[in-house]
């Protein structure tokens, strides 16, 4: 039997024919106060917690996504995504910005019913968060992330989520620094930085439009 050919997932880079290779995907939970409250949490500035998705969960803007199996309660969570061009461990927050190659709009798709069952049983969230095509991401814009830009998500032309990046509990550079204490960050890593309030259900046929001021927009549709 011949060895399988495994291809590295890649994302488009704005205004470039180059592609960004994706190594790992890390996600920050509950990084906006209002979203933390809507999920039943305490928005005080506690140490951020992380979960992950497989690299091949990324899908490009403009995609039509099959509705995920094993869920009756699929949710959208619009987020700023950091794309790392350098790596490191125990990175100082003052130096964390140099690791960031660029940033993009992303949506963390979540099988909320599976997540609720896992939480109640004290089990991992892996299959609620890290399923196939669970990470739509727009083309990456090179450079540092915006600081006070508006972040929004519409479903079928109706505004569902609306916030400002400045409302993050932990800033992008702080997130990079804290995560680097737990794992060695490497070029190609993506970091989803949390979602504002207004997360909600997606149904078959829904059209999603996500945006952050100054970044290429993200659009996809559920089949």
């Amino acid at each position: 039997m011949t060895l399988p050919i495994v291809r590295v997932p890649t994302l488009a880079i704005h205004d470039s024919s180059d592609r960004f290779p994706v190594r790992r995907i890390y996600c920050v939970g509950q990084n906006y106060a209002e979203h933390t409250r809507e999920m039943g949490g305490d928005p005080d500035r506690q140490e951020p917690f992380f979960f992950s998705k497989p690299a091949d969960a990324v899908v490009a803007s403009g995609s039509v996504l099959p509705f995920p199996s094993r869920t009756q309660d699929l949710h959208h969570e619009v987020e700023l995504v950091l794309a790392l061009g350098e790596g490191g461990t125990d990175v100082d927050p003052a130096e964390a910005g140099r690791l960031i190659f660029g940033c993009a709009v992303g949506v963390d798709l979540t099988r909320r019913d599976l997540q609720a069952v896992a939480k109640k049983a004290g089990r991992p969230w892996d299959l609620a968060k890290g399923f196939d095509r669970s990470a739509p991401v727009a083309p990456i814009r090179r450079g540092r992330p915006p600081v006070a830009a508006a972040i929004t998500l519409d479903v079928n032309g109706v505004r569902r989520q609306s916030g400002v990046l400045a409302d993050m509990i932990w800033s992008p550079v702080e997130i990079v620094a804290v995560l680097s204490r737990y794992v060695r960050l490497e070029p190609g890593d993506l970091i989803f930085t949390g979602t504002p309030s207004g997360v909600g259900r997606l149904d078959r046929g829904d059209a999603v439009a996500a945006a952050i001021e100054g970044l290429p927009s993200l659009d996809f549709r559920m089949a």
Side-chain angles (χ1 to χ4, degrees), residues 29 61 76 97 120 147 173 179 196:
S61 185
H76 57 75
K120 187 175 181 180
V147 176
V173 293
L179 182 57

Side-chain angles (χ1 to χ4, degrees), residues 39-79:
M39 298 303 293
D42 183 346
D44 287 346
R45 190 177 160 90
Q46 301 174 355
E47 185 85 355
F49 68 93
F50 301 90
F51 57 92
S52 61
K53 293 174 179 279
D56 63 1
V58 295
V59 290
S61 185
S63 297
V64 177
L65 279 60
F67 197 86
S69 63
R70 308 294 293 177
T71 184
Q72 300 300 318
D73 195 17
L74 179 69
H75 277 210
H76 57 75
E77 301 186 10
V78 62
E79 311 201 9

Side-chain angles (χ1 to χ4, degrees), residues 20-60:
F20 184 87
V22 180
R23 174 181 174 265
R24 292 180 179 174
I25 302 175
Y26 299 101
C27 307
V28 181
Q30 300 179 5
N31 195 35
Y32 289 76
E34 288 303 316
H35 173 60
T36 302
R37 293 188 184 97
E38 77 177 346
M39 298 303 293
D42 183 346
D44 287 346
R45 190 177 160 90
Q46 301 174 355
E47 185 85 355
F49 68 93
F50 301 90
F51 57 92
S52 61
K53 293 174 179 279
D56 63 1
V58 295
V59 290

Side-chain angles (χ1 to χ4, degrees), residues 67-209:
F67 197 86
S69 63
R70 308 294 293 177
T71 184
Q72 300 300 318
D73 195 17
L74 179 69
H75 277 210
H76 57 75
E77 301 186 10
V78 62
E79 311 201 9
L80 171 70
V81 179
L82 309 178
L84 302 190
E86 295 185 35
T89 56
D90 295 319
V91 179
D92 187 280
E95 298 295 324
R98 67 175 175 77
L99 274 62
I100 300 174
F101 169 86
C103 49
V105 183
V107 171
D108 167 18
L109 292 175
T110 303
R111 296 195 278 203
R112 192 71 76 199
D113 43 1
L114 270 66
Q115 185 186 38
V117 170
K119 283 183 176 181
K120 187 175 181 180
R123 296 172 180 168
W125 299 357
D126 296 53
L127 295 182
K129 289 286 193 177
F131 53 95
D132 299 335
R133 305 178 185 89
S134 60
V137 180
I140 296 167
R141 190 207 68 186
R142 296 175 189 260
R144 297 290 181 89
V147 176
I151 176 172
T152 60
L153 183 140
D154 297 351
V155 178
N156 301 326
V158 177
R159 182 64 39 91
R160 290 274 193 90
Q161 291 187 261
S162 180
V164 180
L165 297 182
D167 290 341
M168 286 183 181
I169 298 171
W170 293 86
S171 71
V173 293
E174 289 173 325
I175 290 168
V176 171
V178 173
L179 182 57
S180 75
R181 300 174 195 163
Y182 292 94
V183 295
R184 178 173 180 81
L185 298 174
E186 296 285 359
D189 289 344
L190 298 180
I191 305 175
F192 281 62
T193 60
T195 191
S197 62
V199 300
R201 177 175 174 144
L202 290 175
D203 293 311
R204 290 168 176 82
D206 281 347
V208 179

